[in-house]
Amino acid sequence: MNKFEQLGLNESLVLAIKDLGFENPSEVQEKAIPLLLEKDIDIVALAQTGTGKTAAFGFPLIQKINAENRGTQALILSPTRELCLQITNEIKLYSKYVKGLHTVAVYGGASINDQARDIKRGAQIIVATPGRMQDMITRNLVNIENIEYCVLDEADEMLNMGFYEDIRSILSHTPDSKKTWLFSATMPQEVARIAKDFMDTPTEITVGHKNQGSTNVSHEFYVVNARDRYSALKRLADVNPDIFSVIFCRTKRDTQAVAEKLVEDGYNAAALHGDLSQAQRDGVMKSFRGRQIQMLVATDVAARGIDVDDVTHVINYQLPDEVETYTHRSGRTGRAGKTGTSIVIISKSEMRKISQIERIMKTKFIEKNVPSGMEICEIQLLHLANKINDVAVDSEIDNYLPKINEVLAELSKEDLVKKIVSMEFNRFISYYRKSRDLTSQPSERRTGEVPTDGAVRYFVNIGQRDDFDWMSLKDFLRETLELGRDDLFKVDVKEGFSFFNTDAEHADKVMSILNGYEHNGRRINVEISNNDGGSNSRRRDHGGRSGGGDRNRGPRPGGDRNFAPRGERSDRGERSDRGERSDRGESRGYERRDDNREPRNERRGPARRSDSSTSAPARRPRRS
Ligand code: ADP
Ligand code: MG
């Protein structure tokens, strides 16, 4: 008896599984399938991406459905159109030997009437995105009042994308008697809330450690100055000529900007994010699958549906806030038994995030140096030599050889080789000849000048325009600096900058962690102010308001607002234009002037083969 039969699956499924070439059930399949087949229960199954969750619910679902009844019996909700189509496709493959079973995909960006018509013809299983499903229900195009099963797939992502209300509303049109199967890679609070609000004491299945990444993936990080992020990215691409990668940024805006720069610099790159139309996204994914795009720059949400094997590198251009997100990102590589590398480009002040990831994922990062220009040149040269060696020669060329030989007659073989190689190589060597070392050097800060006693007042370049009020800034600083409630005082928030105090013992920490720290894509700069902020004694901020209870907060930082990459505009210059700096004394030598200068010598990289299909699509706002 084969392993899948042992789980209780019937012949038609076992046949289809054979066709698919699955030999052994994955762990989540092993745990979920018998349970779902034997019992009519609600379950919550947690297993990381790529562990075969689709089949874990798909197999038992197909077996439990009555194919002779044409009514809709199951609804599978999934976050994106990509995933919706992927699941539909899988379910169709699994059920190919089940006569009369029909699965219909329901998603935005395609004709709602066509989808409604397909459902009318009889669809026992509907796979839908929440938005379009809600639409169909409102328009009375679908009836889910008699479904027996509802699957919430990639529940964490659906909630991330703001589908809670849609899900709630859709579920309100389903009968209480239905069973709900929730599948998710992670279990954030919102998912727990769904389980609590909409499920009937679900049985929980957890596979592996909740946050463990794939063991096929090695993790590396490169410490650079924040201004060198992009140059470092280029070098990482150049040192891996066959790179096939997904590059993650935190915001749509950064995603678009990085992709545009890469394209401008001649790389086969494109952006993937939610502001692209569905057609544009499909186009990008098609080019990526077809390898016309080597570097796909994506937001976390947009990349969730990427199911492309063979991705060699995942590059965290910026680290995400959540370790779980990092787990997802790195899971884009090392798939299907292959190995992959997950790279993090960070500034020194973010180093502690690495140990946090290491702790939670129970994995180790390797610290690496950004390759030098000369290393890259050598690798590119060898790559080129190999390419020349491997190139197929078309016999057509014989016709032209006499003339070509005539032109090249004077060259020795050695000279010929040099010239051919130089054709490709010159641009690398000229670009990298004078390149500097990008790996961040030990802190240039002059620690001798850190005050050792009394209170220290700081000037920091974030304020109201970054959505901070004194309370949220204090919270932000406390969390970032890991300081206690009373370690920070006299927090004073102005439009474009703020002040705060700590005891001198924390000055070193404040300066080293906060300087260069990125908040919403903006680099924080902190300086020690000579002004002590009034009396030297401590007082609580704004007196009576700190009495606890329900604090009336202003908008929290870290919301949707994004900052444009800073480009050439220097924080310092901008601030000094304001003339509001009466509170700020002379800085005490903590300025790292260099940090505000854009790299000029590395603006343009060597051009690569570039073809028109790979340019970044234009932005167009889109409602999903
Ligand atoms: P998840 O939803 O957990 O991210 P998927 O269901 O998309 O994972 O499965 C990932 C890949 O693994 C798919 O290509 C799928 O066909 C394949 N797969 C699933 N189960 C098995 C199995 N038992 N043996 C081999 N491959 C499998
Ligand atoms: Mg899945």
Side-chain angles (χ1 to χ4, degrees):
M1 199 151 94
N2 103 359
K3 291 257 177 59
F4 287 97
E5 281 177 275
Q6 283 173 10
L7 298 180
L9 294 174
N10 62 25
E11 200 191 336
S12 53
L13 276 161
V14 171
L15 276 177
I17 293 167
K18 228 176 234 150
D19 290 352
L20 284 164
F22 295 2
E23 283 171 7
N24 293 304
S26 70
E27 196 181 340
V28 67
Q29 291 163 5
E30 224 158 30
K31 286 186 173 165
I33 293 170
L35 197 65
L36 292 174
L37 285 176
E38 280 162 28
K39 298 187 182 162
D40 264 331
I41 49 169
D42 284 0
I43 69 158
V44 168
L46 301 178
Q48 47 175 287
T49 315
T51 50
K53 292 192 287 296
T54 317
F57 62 76
F59 292 166
L61 193 64
I62 291 164
Q63 187 153 325
K64 287 191 141 189
I65 274 169
N66 177 2
E68 280 158 22
N69 170 354
R70 289 161 62 90
T72 299
Q73 296 161 50
L75 171 66
I76 301 171
L77 290 176
S78 107
T80 64
R81 167 188 148 129
E82 270 256 332
L83 284 171
C84 177
L85 287 168
Q86 216 167 286
I87 295 165
T88 308
N89 199 28
E90 293 266 312
I91 300 273
K92 283 183 175 166
L93 289 173
Y94 304 161
S95 62
K96 71 179 191 189
Y97 297 112
V98 182
K99 266 218 173 69
L101 184 72
H102 298 289
T103 305
V104 170
V106 163
Y107 50 87
S111 156
I112 196 167
N113 291 324
D114 288 357
Q115 291 170 355
R117 190 198 56 219
D118 289 346
I119 291 169
K120 260 222 176 79
R121 286 188 187 148
Q124 290 91 345
I125 303 177
I126 294 176
V127 187
T129 54
R132 173 54 66 95
M133 192 63 202
Q134 180 57 43
D135 244 17
M136 286 208 134
I137 293 172
T138 315
R139 298 203 211 173
N140 247 330
L141 294 173
V142 65
N143 177 1
I144 50 170
E145 275 162 23
N146 297 311
I147 64 166
E148 290 174 53
Y149 306 98
C150 180
V151 180
L152 304 174
D153 191 28
E154 311 271 1
D156 50 354
E157 202 50 35
M158 284 200 282
L159 296 170
N160 265 346
M161 293 175 68
F163 283 133
Y164 181 88
E165 271 310 309
D166 282 313
I167 293 172
R168 193 187 57 76
S169 160
I170 292 165
L171 290 179
S172 73
H173 290 87
T174 63
D176 287 343
S177 60
K178 63 147 191 320
K179 299 299 162 211
T180 306
W181 303 349
L182 184 152
F183 283 76
S184 186
T186 61
M187 184 76 164
Q189 288 208 323
E190 299 75 42
V191 174
R193 177 169 164 216
I194 288 264
K196 185 167 155 286
D197 293 355
F198 304 118
M199 297 174 73
D200 190 10
T201 49
T203 305
E204 192 176 315
I205 295 174
T206 305
V207 169
H209 183 267
K210 278 188 191 172
N211 273 308
Q212 212 162 38
S214 158
T215 49
N216 292 336
V217 179
S218 54
H219 302 264
E220 300 175 351
F221 70 92
Y222 294 80
V223 184
V224 299
N225 288 323
R227 64 181 162 151
D228 288 332
R229 238 176 246 276
Y230 180 71
S231 306
L233 173 66
K234 280 203 319 193
R235 288 198 189 181
L236 292 170
D238 288 343
V239 83
N240 292 292
D242 288 322
I243 196 167
F244 183 51
S245 63
V246 185
I247 295 152
F248 286 95
C249 296
R250 283 158 67 114
T251 66
K252 291 176 197 168
R253 209 157 164 166
D254 289 348
T255 303
Q256 185 69 27
V258 169
E260 276 172 11
K261 269 205 224 168
L262 285 170
V263 169
E264 200 179 300
D265 286 342
Y267 295 86
N268 298 324
L272 187 73
H273 55 68
D275 280 353
L276 303 178
S277 71
Q278 191 60 57
Q280 286 172 323
R281 289 213 272 182
D282 290 349
V284 169
M285 281 312 295
K286 190 157 170 261
S287 307
F288 187 56
R289 288 212 169 83
R291 303 298 185 90
Q292 289 101 325
I293 289 171
Q294 276 186 286
M295 304 175 82
L296 182 68
V297 191
T299 56
D300 289 297
V301 169
R304 192 56 183 272
I306 298 177
D307 183 21
V308 177
D309 296 338
D310 305 331
V311 167
T312 59
H313 294 77
V314 163
I315 301 181
N316 293 263
Y317 188 74
Q318 292 146 339
L319 265 184
D321 285 328
E322 308 268 329
V323 175
E324 281 169 3
T325 311
Y326 179 81
T327 313
H328 280 310
R329 288 181 175 186
S330 56
R332 298 296 112 209
T333 186
R335 292 168 77 84
K338 305 218 171 52
T339 56
T341 309
S342 175
I343 289 178
V344 180
I345 304 176
I346 52 165
S347 61
K348 210 176 311 153
S349 54
E350 297 172 298
M351 291 274 290
R352 59 202 184 88
K353 289 196 194 166
I354 294 286
S355 17
Q356 197 187 356
I357 297 172
E358 285 183 325
R359 210 170 48 239
I360 296 177
M361 284 180 73
K362 299 200 189 323
T363 185
K364 268 268 165 263
F365 273 81
I366 305 166
E367 177 167 9
K368 290 227 167 165
N369 290 335
V370 181
S372 71
M374 289 307 113
E375 268 173 270
I376 290 167
C377 288
E378 187 179 330
I379 283 171
Q380 287 288 346
L381 254 182
L382 285 174
H383 181 69
L384 184 60
N386 278 316
K387 237 165 77 178
I388 293 172
N389 197 34
D390 293 346
V391 74
V393 175
D394 193 309
S395 58
E396 277 283 304
I397 202 140
D398 290 346
N399 300 330
Y400 306 95
L401 269 186
K403 278 191 179 160
I404 293 168
N405 281 333
E406 214 172 287
V407 177
L408 303 176
E410 300 293 301
L411 294 174
S412 68
K413 179 187 169 187
E414 194 177 327
D415 286 341
L416 192 60
V417 167
K418 278 187 196 163
K419 279 184 187 272
I420 290 173
V421 172
S422 298
M423 250 168 31
E424 277 274 317
F425 187 63
N426 280 351
R427 58 171 194 253
F428 276 99
I429 193 78
S430 62
Y431 176 67
Y432 280 118
R433 181 172 283 127
K434 292 206 191 88
S435 62
R436 63 199 164 83
D437 188 5
L438 289 190
T439 299
S440 176
Q441 298 308 310
S443 170
E444 309 114 74
R445 211 156 41 75
R446 280 161 273 171
T447 43
E449 293 182 42
V450 172
T452 51
D453 57 358
V456 178
R457 187 151 181 84
Y458 308 85
F459 167 92
V460 62
N461 65 330
I462 46 177
Q464 283 158 7
R465 81 183 136 130
D466 305 274
D467 284 346
F468 282 113
D469 61 11
W470 69 271
M471 240 182 306
S472 59
L473 181 67
K474 189 171 175 179
D475 285 350
F476 167 76
L477 291 170
R478 262 182 41 219
E479 278 163 29
T480 311
L481 298 167
E482 290 173 353
L483 289 176
R485 171 164 293 279
D486 294 325
D487 292 337
L488 275 156
F489 42 100
K490 289 185 194 161
V491 178
D492 207 351
V493 178
K494 311 268 192 229
E495 164 64 20
F497 52 90
S498 308
F499 297 94
F500 63 95
N501 286 19
T502 72
D503 279 336
E505 59 178 297
H506 302 302
D508 215 0
K509 193 173 181 182
V510 171
M511 297 305 289
S512 61
I513 294 182
L514 217 51
N515 254 323
Y517 188 94
E518 274 192 38
H519 175 68
N520 282 357
R522 180 139 136 83
R523 213 178 60 245
I524 293 178
N525 182 52
V526 62
E527 291 162 19
I528 291 184
S529 160
N530 276 349
N531 187 306
D532 67 0
S535 124
N536 228 345
S537 68
R538 270 170 179 237
R539 62 175 159 83
R540 291 206 141 224
D541 301 298
H542 299 243
R545 278 177 66 192
S546 55
D550 228 350
R551 297 198 295 175
N552 184 16
R553 291 170 173 282
R556 293 279 308 171
D560 276 333
R561 205 168 138 207
N562 304 323
F563 290 94
R566 302 248 84 194
E568 304 269 335
R569 200 170 54 146
S570 112
D571 291 347
R572 188 157 287 121
E574 189 189 14
R575 275 200 327 255
S576 40
D577 290 346
R578 291 171 179 265
E580 292 176 65
R581 302 184 60 186
S582 57
D583 198 11
R584 178 195 167 230
E586 271 307 294
S587 104
R588 292 227 201 148
Y590 291 99
E591 301 201 3
R592 298 195 298 191
R593 290 173 200 283
D594 274 350
D595 283 4
N596 280 328
R597 233 179 284 138
E598 277 285 288
R600 276 171 220 289
N601 53 339
E602 300 215 334
R603 284 295 294 233
R604 271 187 178 265
R608 286 200 174 187
R609 150 182 69 96
S610 115
D611 71 46
S612 54
S613 68
T614 63
S615 52
R619 285 175 67 140
R620 197 201 310 161
R622 185 186 82 89
R623 220 192 80 84
S624 93

